[in-house]
Amino acid sequence: MAKQNTAPTMKDVAKEAGVSLGTVSKVINGIPVGDEYRKKVEQAIKTLDYHINAYAKGLKNNRTYTVAVILPNLLNPFFSMVAHYINRALVNRGYRMLLCDTEYDYTKEREMVQMVAQNKVDGIIALTYNPDLKIPPDVRSVSIDRYLSGSTTCVASDNYNGGRLAAQKLVENGCKNLAFLRIGSPLTSETNKRRDGFVAECEAMQLPCTQKILMDDAPLSEFEHFLEENLKDGRLAFDGIFCVTDKLAVAVIKMLRRMGQRVPEDVQVIGYDGLRAFGDQDYYCSTIIQPVEAMAETCVDLVLQDSHANTPSLLCLPVRYAYGGTTKA
């Protein structure tokens, strides 16, 4: 038995279980052993309240069992959802998440990368708007939606087919004049393909598609002016709108209702992301759902790989549509 007031060691567990130290090591590291031995070790661990010394384990394996996650902020529900699922995926693999909320500050991002390199964190998962973010080649990294320099793999939802699916659903619900609204960064990223897919599908169905695209620093009121310009005799020029995010869709729906337009009776609206109220209740709007949980699992699997030699530069995961009350059922 372990001495009083001294944390039990693997040797104490082996003695309590009546097995060898090697058997205890195998059980702790998930290596198969006989069922009888495994049960003895698990019971000894419980009896002694033994906890793995993560620091010592990390020194032995040249790992810190920590992955840094860089996000623009946590106020946006989509980014919060990304953080939640990445953290869960890491914990399930015995890792911890070091979270950096950059508030879109490129300096904070650079400082985070430097700190990660200095402290030998095992990898970085980044969702960044910084086109110049450099990650040292010896630090394993994965990006979400945007391309970073070097061999960093990008993980994204299938944005192009998400745009196509939005157009298809609006047309299935009887829409004949469509519009696409976007506010975002001018940087090249996978999210730009939402527009590409939507426009391509409209062209394939020979339907008119009006576009209004704003940069991040533009006021949302410009969308309201755009809608008012397309309002004549109480009717909007288009009856179906696809917004690049759910956040924008909710803002646009409020604008439409202020203008006396009924949603979805007069105008149907589809967003993109799959956000729910309080994270697990109703969708904020009809939406194209990003498979965030699967994206998080993919990011974690990739960042923990020793080599990305045979990994493609882009991994796209399938999306799906969900009704959220802003399209006709």
Side-chain angles (χ1 to χ4, degrees), residues 21-172:
L21 187 60
T23 299
V24 174
S25 178
K26 287 180 180 179
V27 172
I28 289 173
N29 289 288
I31 300 172
V33 299
D35 194 50
E36 180 182 352
Y37 292 113
R38 178 182 58 78
K39 289 180 179 178
K40 286 182 177 180
V41 172
E42 289 174 348
Q43 182 57 51
I45 289 173
K46 185 177 180 181
T47 300
L48 297 175
D49 193 25
Y50 170 77
H51 297 281
I52 298 170
N53 186 330
Y55 179 72
K57 183 181 178 182
L59 287 176
K60 180 180 179 182
N61 297 323
N62 197 29
R63 290 179 181 267
T64 61
Y65 292 95
T66 302
V67 170
V69 177
I70 299 175
L71 294 173
N73 67 47
L74 294 179
L75 295 176
N76 185 311
F78 176 70
F79 298 147
S80 296
M81 184 162 55
V82 169
H84 168 77
Y85 282 115
I86 289 178
N87 182 63
R88 192 167 77 176
L90 287 169
V91 168
N92 287 342
R93 291 161 177 77
Y95 281 72
R96 297 164 296 184
M97 178 174 74
L98 179 61
L99 180 61
C100 180
D101 177 346
T102 67
E103 299 180 277
Y104 298 91
D105 186 332
Y106 294 173
T107 301
K108 287 184 180 179
E109 288 185 341
R110 288 193 296 270
E111 290 173 351
M112 180 65 164
V113 171
Q114 292 172 359
M115 185 271 289
V116 164
Q118 292 168 358
N119 290 275
K120 305 299 182 183
V121 173
D122 296 325
I124 296 176
I125 299 173
L127 199 167
T128 175
Y129 289 82
N130 182 358
D132 301 318
L133 182 65
K134 298 292 190 296
I135 296 178
D138 58 330
V139 177
R140 289 175 292 184
S141 60
V142 176
S143 67
I144 299 174
D145 283 338
R146 290 163 184 85
Y147 296 97
L148 299 179
S149 59
S151 58
T152 300
T153 298
C154 177
V155 175
S157 66
D158 191 344
N159 291 279
Y160 186 84
N161 278 318
R164 292 183 62 237
L165 181 57
Q168 292 166 6
K169 288 298 179 181
L170 289 170
V171 171
E172 284 177 17

